[in-house]
Amino acid sequence: MNNTSPSRSLGGANLELLEIAGRTGMGAISDSDPVPWDQAWHTTFEHWRHTNYPPMPIMLVFCKRPSAYGSDLKCTQLFQFGVLSTRPKCGVYLVGRSPTGNGWLLPSTGNDHQDNCRLLQEAKLDDFPLVIFGLNESDIIFLPNGLNADEAGVLIPTAVSGSPFKDELLTSELVHFATKNLASGDLRKKLWEKANHYWPIEQAERTIQLFLLISLRAVFKNYEILAEPPVVAGRIDILILSGDSKEPGRVILELKAVRQFGSTGTPVSKSTVITQIHEGIIQALTYFKDATNKYICLYDMRKDKVSSIYDDARLKCDSCGIKLRLFEVHPSAVEVRHAIVASGSGSTK
Amino acid sequence: MNTLLNENNEGTKKETLYRRFWILSLMSGVEEVGCSPIDLKSFNILAYLANAVAQCYGVPPLDATILKACDGPLYPTLIWDIDRLVGMGLVRVSDIVVDVSKRLRNVSYAITNAGLDCEEQCRMLHPSLAQTGDSLRSAAMAYSRNHLFLSKEGLLARDGNYADPTVSNGEVVDFGEWVRNNATANSIEKILAELGLELRKDPAVGVNIYSRYLAAFAANRVINE
């Protein structure tokens, strides 16, 4: 702040409403958000998820220049497209970050998914992030790299009516994410540099964060869920605020990918792993002393998943009220199946 | 950057260039959110907000004063410049409404692909232009997310600067020209302090919450009441 008066006058602003806005965080969005669409889209997704009609495909292409491309490609403009509560007709739509914007229907696209894919490729828009509705009854599929990437896509989960401030519900969603989404073929491919050698990619935590964000925002659509919000002592991996829900509280999640090898195969020592986990606990401990719940989520990407490495962390978390949640991440479908057979669930609390 | 000029008056050359870059950056933010084209009244509200919140991003406002009026903020110079940008093919015009007396009632503007490319090139000329461009784009995105309800009524009712009860309609609201107090920026700082977040590291979070707070007035969605 360069020019604020010492008196910090609020002029005509309503102090009480400013305080409520600050506490709930309603409308909070960061410019560095890694998801290509705003959380508000999830309300629209839920409206459009189910249909009484036979499933028909709708593709939403998230791009930074929807009207510019739309105008050049002679698309039909649909005013305030994302706030429509009924599912629009089938076709390919170019849209921006917010559902308050317009949609641009690509000419000649309609009921035939294969035709739509071809027309999207011809328009050279096939490498933008894509969300597809209606390939079956209620699934919504996210293709982060568009059609080009030859991927089956990641499922966007259904909203629930409960609160992420309730530990049981949030933990069950975290488990669901780890056992279903992280174990899916497409997400597995994104997490490993060399899967058969257990070398995770350098940005494993970031990748997990991106897809966990999408899942949590879809499931808890009335809450504000922020990635990397800045606080005095650093940045929180994920912060959940009450937003529209009118429910007081806030939750912080620190995420750690636990490695046995670096992305180039360099071994990571046990002491380094323990130090990294300890740093995560310190971070969680430092931020927001009044938080409803604090979590440290450990995503174990090691080949030898020796659990004694977490003994010290468990004790520390128990003593300071941080909830430690441990999830196993496997590089192949075979390993996933083995883990399910071995543990019965594939993840442990 | 010369693409942005079609005048030969050296005296105003830099100011004109900067103003046009400023407009294109705002419009690129509107475009990214998906809200193009933007109508003229909305653009004037956006221009005011971008000026009012510039301080939060650590960049100077284009104009730190505005005439308070029942009809909301108005920037005739910017409108003149937008029309020049239309002539250059960097902005396209739509939704023109003319009444029976041939007076312009509405017009909407959207940045073109050429305009977006031009704005990107201008950013690369100097780090300060990149910073200004980022802040304008961010402010425009915050406004556009809430544009359905963020109206002149919201500004007149609860904006720090524009609703200042010590300034009457027809008077100038000064938030940085001579008066060293920007109540809108102070309000955003207040929100972030309540939230426990750092303004300097990510002002967009506060600007977005503030825009929602302004929009909640017209949406008749008084927060938590």
Side-chain angles (χ1 to χ4, degrees), chain A residues 128-313:
Chain A
F128 287 110
L130 199 65
V131 168
I132 308 177
F133 299 75
L135 284 181
N136 59 32
E137 202 163 305
S138 62
D139 280 350
I140 304 176
I141 297 161
F142 170 40
L143 293 170
N145 302 306
L147 289 179
N148 258 343
D150 192 27
E151 292 167 344
V154 179
L155 283 180
I156 295 178
T158 312
V160 300
S161 56
S163 162
F165 301 154
K166 301 272 191 302
D167 172 46
E168 281 167 25
L169 184 57
L170 182 56
T171 297
S172 96
E173 290 305 329
L174 291 170
V175 169
H176 188 268
F177 170 77
T179 53
K180 301 293 177 194
N181 290 39
L182 279 188
S184 73
D186 274 356
L187 244 179
R188 269 206 320 272
K189 272 193 269 180
K190 292 182 187 309
L191 287 173
W192 301 93
E193 197 65 53
K194 283 196 175 175
N196 53 344
H197 289 88
Y198 282 80
W199 298 359
I201 56 162
E202 199 180 341
Q203 297 288 320
E205 264 166 30
R206 282 267 175 189
T207 306
I208 292 170
Q209 182 193 38
L210 167 69
F211 290 98
L212 180 58
L213 261 181
I214 292 172
S215 278
L216 292 177
R217 286 175 180 174
V219 170
F220 303 111
K221 62 184 173 58
N222 293 330
Y223 295 77
E224 300 290 352
I225 303 179
L226 292 172
E228 305 286 333
V231 288
V232 176
R235 283 180 181 270
I236 301 168
D237 284 341
I238 294 180
L239 171 65
I240 306 179
L241 299 165
S242 56
D244 243 345
S245 71
K246 299 186 169 72
E247 183 190 1
R250 59 182 66 175
V251 162
I252 66 172
L253 295 108
E254 282 299 316
L255 315 178
K256 291 282 172 206
V258 181
R259 297 167 165 87
Q260 189 169 351
F261 302 103
S263 59
T264 55
T266 315
V268 178
S269 69
K270 185 181 168 185
S271 63
T272 304
V273 171
I274 290 172
T275 306
Q276 285 169 346
I277 295 170
H278 182 70
E279 280 169 8
I281 294 169
I282 296 293
Q283 283 172 309
L285 196 61
T286 314
Y287 308 144
F288 289 131
K289 298 206 183 303
D290 61 341
T292 317
N293 284 316
K294 296 180 176 187
Y295 294 83
I296 179 153
C297 300
L298 304 177
Y299 293 91
D300 192 340
M301 304 180 81
R302 295 173 303 155
K303 184 177 184 183
D304 308 313
K305 292 180 170 45
V306 183
S307 65
S308 60
I309 202 168
Y310 303 116
D311 289 348
D312 188 40

Side-chain angles (χ1 to χ4, degrees), chain A residues 4 8 30-31 38 67 72, chain B residues 31 113 138 145 186 189 202:
Chain A
T4 311
R8 305 271 183 197
S30 165
D31 285 346
D38 289 352
S67 100
D72 288 356
Chain B
E31 173 71 10
N113 271 316
S138 173
R145 287 178 173 116
N186 295 346
E189 198 166 23
D202 198 348

Side-chain angles (χ1 to χ4, degrees), chain B residues 86-179:
Chain B
V86 171
M88 294 174 208
L90 303 177
V91 170
R92 71 186 156 80
V93 68
S94 63
D95 312 327
I96 300 170
V97 179
V98 181
D99 68 13
V100 284
S101 58
K102 295 187 178 172
R103 285 205 310 198
L104 186 68
R105 286 295 176 194
N106 185 55
V107 59
S108 295
Y109 299 101
I111 193 165
T112 61
N113 271 316
L116 286 157
D117 293 341
C118 178
E119 196 262 350
E120 290 284 347
Q121 285 161 12
C122 291
R123 281 163 179 266
M124 287 187 258
L125 293 176
H126 197 273
S128 67
L129 282 176
Q131 190 194 357
T132 303
D134 284 345
S135 73
L136 292 167
R137 191 180 283 183
S138 173
M141 288 168 73
Y143 166 78
S144 300
R145 287 178 173 116
N146 297 287
H147 77 110
L148 301 181
F149 298 106
L150 208 167
S151 59
K152 64 183 182 195
E153 288 82 6
L155 292 183
L156 284 160
R158 58 168 68 161
D159 176 53
N161 295 329
Y162 211 73
D164 188 336
T166 65
V167 182
S168 306
N169 280 343
E171 291 182 349
V172 170
V173 184
D174 186 334
F175 48 92
E177 186 80 34
W178 298 98
V179 178

Side-chain angles (χ1 to χ4, degrees), chain A residues 5 31 77 108 164 175 262 345-346:
Chain A
S5 81
D31 285 346
Q77 182 187 343
S108 307
V175 169
S345 69

Side-chain angles (χ1 to χ4, degrees), chain B:
Chain B
M1 196 145 179
N2 282 338
T3 329
L4 288 175
L5 264 187
N6 57 358
E7 280 80 32
N8 294 317
N9 186 342
E10 285 295 325
T12 61
K13 194 173 173 179
K14 274 188 182 171
E15 285 172 20
T16 306
L17 278 171
Y18 184 71
R19 220 166 36 242
R20 292 178 184 178
F21 167 71
W22 202 88
I23 292 167
L24 289 180
S25 292
L26 279 186
M27 287 197 166
S28 74
V30 176
E31 173 71 10
E32 183 166 344
V33 170
C35 292
S36 302
I38 181 171
D39 66 76
L40 198 53
K41 278 186 181 173
S42 300
F43 183 81
N44 278 292
I45 293 174
L46 166 58
Y48 161 69
L49 278 175
N51 276 315
V53 304
Q55 184 183 310
C56 301
Y57 294 94
V59 299
L62 188 67
D63 192 344
T65 60
I66 183 72
L67 186 72
K68 186 169 178 176
C70 296
D71 285 343
L74 185 68
Y75 292 91
T77 317
L78 289 182
I79 298 164
W80 194 89
D81 275 312
I82 294 176
D83 288 334
R84 305 285 86 68
L85 292 169
V86 171
M88 294 174 208
L90 303 177
V91 170
R92 71 186 156 80
V93 68
S94 63
D95 312 327
I96 300 170
V97 179
V98 181
D99 68 13
V100 284
S101 58
K102 295 187 178 172
R103 285 205 310 198
L104 186 68
R105 286 295 176 194
N106 185 55
V107 59
S108 295
Y109 299 101
I111 193 165
T112 61
N113 271 316
L116 286 157
D117 293 341
C118 178
E119 196 262 350
E120 290 284 347
Q121 285 161 12
C122 291
R123 281 163 179 266
M124 287 187 258
L125 293 176
H126 197 273
S128 67
L129 282 176
Q131 190 194 357
T132 303
D134 284 345
S135 73
L136 292 167
R137 191 180 283 183
S138 173
M141 288 168 73
Y143 166 78
S144 300
R145 287 178 173 116
N146 297 287
H147 77 110
L148 301 181
F149 298 106
L150 208 167
S151 59
K152 64 183 182 195
E153 288 82 6
L155 292 183
L156 284 160
R158 58 168 68 161
D159 176 53
N161 295 329
Y162 211 73
D164 188 336
T166 65
V167 182
S168 306
N169 280 343
E171 291 182 349
V172 170
V173 184
D174 186 334
F175 48 92
E177 186 80 34
W178 298 98
V179 178
R180 289 181 60 79
N181 182 55
N182 182 337
T184 299
N186 295 346
S187 301
I188 292 167
E189 198 166 23
K190 173 75 186 161
I191 284 174
L192 284 174
E194 197 66 42
L195 195 53
L197 299 183
E198 279 280 284
L199 176 70
R200 285 175 194 83
K201 289 183 190 167
D202 198 348
V205 174
V207 173
N208 274 284
I209 298 175
Y210 185 76
S211 299
R212 176 68 72 90
Y213 149 88
L214 289 177
F217 174 79
N220 202 18
R221 289 166 56 205
V222 179
I223 306 167
N224 264 14
E225 284 184 349

